Amino acid sequence: MTTTPRRAALAISAVASAALVSACSFGSGADSDGPVTLKLAHVFPEASAVHTAATTLAERAPDVTDGRVNFDVYPGSQLGGDEELGAGLASGDVECAFFAATASGLDDRLQLSLLPFIATTYDGVDEVFFDEDGVIQTNERDVLAETGITALGFYENDFRGLTNNVRPIQTPEDMAGLSFRVPGLSMYTDLFEAWGANPVAIPFPELYTALQQGTVDGQDNGIVLTYNSRYQEVQKHLTLTRHAYGMGNISCNTDVWESLSEDDQDALREVIDDITADTTQQVRDSVADRLAELKESGMEVVELDDAQRAAFAGIKDEVWTSQESVFGADVMEQLREESEAAAEATSE
C-alpha cells in the first residue's frame, strides 16, 4: 500500500490507539449493562442530506434500542476530514462515522469506486454501486473489515464535476496547466495528470480556503456538495463531466459495533437501511435545484454532450490498467464486466 507521511502518522496513531481500545468495553452492548453514547461524525455542512441522516439516526436510535444506544453527532469536520475519521474509526477513537472510505488513506484498495467512468447514468450507478453483492460494495466492506471497521450502509455523494476559476472547460485540453485540488489518492493523481492538469492533494476541510486564496485553480466534487460548501463564492466555472461517482458509507469501529447486542445491531441496521436510501434519494432530488442555484449565483456551467464526455473518458483504459496492481486482476475484471453490463442494460 502506498502511503504519504501524513497517512503513515495517522496509521501509526490508529494502531497505537487500537491496543488501548481493544481492552475497553463500549457501554450497553454485550460488555455492559448501561446505556452507551457513541460519537457519530461526518465532514458535511449541516445543510446537507448526510447531516439529516446523522441526526435522524441519533433521534431514532434510542427508540429502537430502548435507550441502550445513543449518538452524539459531530458535523462539518469537527473531528477531522475523511483521513482523520478513517484513522479514528480504525482505532475506536471515533466510534461511528459517515465517511468516504476512498479518501481515508487506510488502504489504496479502497479507491476502487473512484476509478473514472465506471458509470455515467444513475441507472448504471444503481446497477454497479448499489448492488450489495457487486464488486464495489464487497471490496469496500472486506478491506474496511481488515482495518477493524464494519461498513453498515452506503449512500450517494453524486457524480463529480470540475470547477475552476480560470476558464470554461469543454475538452481535456482546456485543463492543461490548471491546478486542481484532489483527495490524496495516487489513482486520482494519475487521472488528473493524464488530462494534463496539475493535481494538488489538499484535505477537504481546507479546500474552501485554498480556492479562496488561489492555492489551486479548481476542484472536483458533486453539484450538491459544491453548492452546500459555497464553492460558487470562489469559483466561476463548472463542467458536468461525471468523470467519477462519489459513494459514501456509514461505518462503526468493529469492536464497538460487536459490543452491542444482536438485537440492537439488527434494530440499528434497519434504521441505517432507511436513512441511507433516503439520503441517496434526497441527493438526487436536489441536484436540479442546486444546479439552478449555482447558475443563478453567476457560475458558468458547461453541460457536455456524449461526444464531449467521451473525449474526457479517453483516459479510462490507461488509468484502469495502471491500477491493476493495486486492486488485482480478478477485481478489475469483475468491475469491467459489471460496468460494461450496466452500460449495455441502461442504453437499451
Side-chain angles (χ1 to χ4, degrees), residues 29 80 82 94 100 119 142 144 147 150 211 235 269 277 282 301:
D82 287 312
V94 177
D142 290 351
L144 286 174
T147 70
T150 297
L211 294 171
Q235 297 277 270
R269 280 188 182 275
Q282 286 177 37
V301 177

Side-chain angles (χ1 to χ4, degrees), residues 34-45:
V36 61
T37 299
L38 307 176
K39 293 188 286 291
L40 178 61
H42 65 80
V43 303
F44 294 88

Side-chain angles (χ1 to χ4, degrees), residues 277-334:
D278 287 347
T279 299
T280 295
Q281 196 58 52
Q282 286 177 37
V283 171
R284 290 190 188 181
D285 289 345
S286 64
V287 166
D289 288 343
R290 298 294 87 79
L291 181 60
E293 288 167 346
L294 289 174
K295 291 177 179 178
E296 289 175 6
S297 73
M299 183 171 271
E300 296 182 18
V301 177
V302 175
E303 301 189 42
L304 302 178
D305 59 30
D306 290 344
Q308 289 174 310
R309 184 167 287 113
F312 281 91
I315 47 74
K316 176 179 176 178
D317 289 343
E318 174 187 341
V319 175
W320 282 42
T321 299
S322 73
Q323 297 301 307
E324 195 160 291
S325 62
V326 175
F327 304 117
D330 290 344
V331 167
M332 291 299 295
E333 180 59 28
Q334 186 177 349

Side-chain angles (χ1 to χ4, degrees), residues 157-271:
N157 280 333
D158 200 20
F159 287 106
R160 298 173 83 103
L162 303 170
T163 71
N164 83 96
N165 213 25
V166 178
R167 56 177 173 264
I169 293 175
Q170 300 184 36
T171 69
E173 290 74 22
D174 293 331
M175 297 179 66
L178 297 182
S179 59
F180 282 85
R181 174 269 176 183
V182 296
L185 313 177
S186 58
M187 180 271 293
Y188 231 59
T189 297
D190 292 346
L191 169 62
F192 276 76
E193 287 180 344
W195 279 329
N198 300 320
V200 181
I202 296 174
F204 180 77
E206 302 171 17
L207 177 51
Y208 184 95
T209 300
L211 294 171
Q212 185 180 46
Q213 295 179 348
T215 305
V216 288
D217 298 314
Q219 60 91 42
D220 82 306
N221 268 301
I223 290 170
V224 176
L225 184 57
T226 292
Y227 176 84
N228 288 340
S229 301
R230 309 193 326 275
Y231 296 150
Q232 65 272 23
E233 298 175 355
V234 290
Q235 297 277 270
K236 296 177 181 177
H237 307 284
L238 165 64
T239 301
L240 305 181
T241 51
R242 293 194 171 195
H243 58 276
Y245 175 82
M247 183 178 73
N249 76 68
I250 174 172
S251 291
C252 291
N253 171 272
T254 298
D255 286 338
V256 171
W257 180 250
E258 292 181 353
S259 76
L260 307 179
S261 70
E262 289 188 8
D263 287 345
D264 287 346
Q265 289 179 25
D266 290 343
L268 291 171
R269 280 188 182 275
E270 287 188 17
V271 176

